[in-house]
Amino acid sequence: MKIYSVYNIKGGVGKTTTAVNLAYMSAASGARTMIWDLDPQGGTSYYLCVKPKVKGGAKGLIQQKSQFENLLKMTGYPNLDLLPADISYRNMDHYLEKESRPTNGLHRILQPLKNSYDNVFLDCPPGLTTITENVFKISDVLLVPLIPTPLSLRAYNRLVQFLVKRRTKKLQVVPFFNMVNINKPIHRIVTKNVHQKHPIFLRSSIPESTIIEAMGIKRSPIFTYARESAEATAFQDLWKEVSQREKGHKRKKKAL
Ligand SMILES: Nc1ncnc2c1ncn2[C@@H]1O[C@H](COP(=O)(O)OP(=O)(O)OP(=O)(O)O)[C@@H](O)[C@H]1O
Ligand SMILES: [Mg+2]
């Protein structure tokens, strides 16, 4: 089971949009895929038309009084299951902190599922809290969408410094740009220069587009209503590059 988390300390940068589209592509390729909406806003649950209701709430989940498997919902898309979020998730940090090992809670919950799914996507809330510390510990890949501005890069640098201190060795950090508008000089400058200083950034990026924004009205992944669009291709290219980078990462690890 591979865990991909979509995270940024900042809000409104496209975490949910990315998580939903990548999870859809993973499932469509035949991989057994689960997406866990970790955000009390419930954006993923909304996009996938699943009721934001979790029996027993965050407390039941963290204290493992509720069986994770029983809370999973089918999305209607083959191979794609969802664990929705409801408003009780606002207290998830509180319940994690009550545990004897607060940063191990998500690991404990997901461990029994390790043979049930090939790919798990975590749609993370913004901020840097106990949930996110859990996410850093259990993820294989941390996808970080950023809007191309100097302030976003500054926040990204802070995140990297934090992760270096935490020595999250296993974690592969994969930043990329979302909502790119080449008509904005600042976007052009930042996207053009980023690879000199940060070669780790993906070459693929996602444009700012009303077709992508329309997910909020269609309540479905972009591939269901604009399969042939340049925007759908952008997500496909992004997913391809993430997969290629992982293969490279595996080869490097083997060679060590
Ligand atoms: N490439 C894009 N082009 C246009 N609009 C986009 C794009 N990506 C995301 N959006 C829009 O921006 C808004 C925020 O996106 P999204 O909910 O994915 O961000 P988020 O990082 O998950 O936000 P939050 O931190 O609140 O969870 C949504 O209205 C979404 O439709
Ligand atoms: Mg979100």
Side-chain angles (χ1 to χ4, degrees):
M1 182 171 88
K2 193 135 226 171
I3 302 182
Y4 297 87
S5 296
V6 190
Y7 169 76
N8 191 322
I9 194 165
K10 278 177 174 288
V13 296
K15 298 181 291 294
T16 301
T17 305
T18 304
V20 167
N21 285 315
L22 298 196
Y24 176 89
M25 276 186 285
S26 159
S29 75
R32 295 166 304 163
T33 305
M34 192 265 282
I35 182 164
W36 186 359
D37 188 351
L38 281 169
D39 188 338
Q41 295 179 89
T44 288
S45 314
Y46 175 82
Y47 281 149
L48 294 172
C49 294
V50 171
K51 230 179 167 178
K53 182 80 200 109
V54 181
K55 209 166 167 220
K59 186 177 178 185
L61 260 171
I62 302 299
Q63 298 180 352
Q64 287 188 294
K65 288 183 180 139
S66 320
Q67 275 273 311
F68 194 97
E69 290 93 325
N70 297 340
L71 301 175
L72 284 165
K73 306 280 179 202
M74 285 191 294
T75 59
Y77 302 112
N79 303 320
L80 183 58
D81 293 338
L82 164 75
L83 189 77
D86 67 11
I87 200 69
S88 73
Y89 276 36
R90 75 192 189 285
N91 296 321
M92 203 177 257
D93 276 320
H94 168 72
Y95 292 116
L96 282 168
E97 278 150 25
K98 278 176 122 180
E99 295 289 301
S100 55
R101 294 165 75 194
T103 58
N104 260 25
L106 295 197
H107 173 76
R108 247 185 317 106
I109 294 170
L110 286 174
Q111 189 61 15
L113 295 170
K114 71 173 193 274
N115 294 321
S116 308
Y117 292 103
D118 300 306
N119 293 330
V120 167
F121 288 81
L122 304 180
D123 178 22
C124 303
L128 193 42
T129 64
T130 311
I131 297 179
T132 35
E133 292 228 36
N134 272 264
V135 165
F136 297 156
K137 247 180 150 173
I138 56 167
S139 303
D140 296 285
V141 178
L142 191 74
L143 289 151
V144 187
L146 290 103
I147 299 171
T149 65
L151 263 187
S152 300
L153 285 179
R154 191 163 171 269
Y156 167 74
N157 284 329
R158 289 252 165 111
L159 167 67
V160 171
Q161 280 165 14
F162 180 86
L163 290 173
V164 167
K165 271 199 212 132
R166 284 287 184 286
R167 294 172 200 234
T168 43
K169 261 194 219 146
K170 183 185 117 178
L171 184 66
Q172 212 190 334
V173 180
V174 180
F176 66 95
F177 289 123
N178 180 35
M179 296 196 217
V180 179
N181 181 345
I182 52 156
N183 295 317
K184 290 183 180 167
I186 196 79
H187 284 206
R188 276 205 307 277
I189 293 166
V190 172
T191 51
K192 188 166 167 251
N193 296 327
V194 73
H195 292 103
Q196 287 165 6
K197 198 160 171 217
H198 301 286
I200 195 172
F201 269 68
L202 290 183
R203 299 275 155 180
S204 321
S205 62
I206 308 296
E208 181 178 70
S209 155
T210 50
I211 295 182
I212 296 172
E213 218 173 359
M215 280 175 67
I217 295 162
K218 306 276 186 191
R219 296 188 67 185
S220 65
I222 186 171
F223 302 95
T224 63
Y225 63 89
R227 176 170 290 277
E228 306 297 330
S229 62
E231 289 81 348
T233 305
F235 277 112
Q236 277 165 338
D237 290 345
L238 189 94
W239 182 227
K240 231 186 264 164
E241 198 180 344
V242 171
S243 310
Q244 276 162 2
R245 189 171 285 190
E246 267 180 86
K247 277 185 202 143
H249 190 71
K250 246 193 229 156
R251 269 200 300 274
K252 250 194 231 157
K253 263 186 25 199
K254 260 192 189 162
L256 287 175

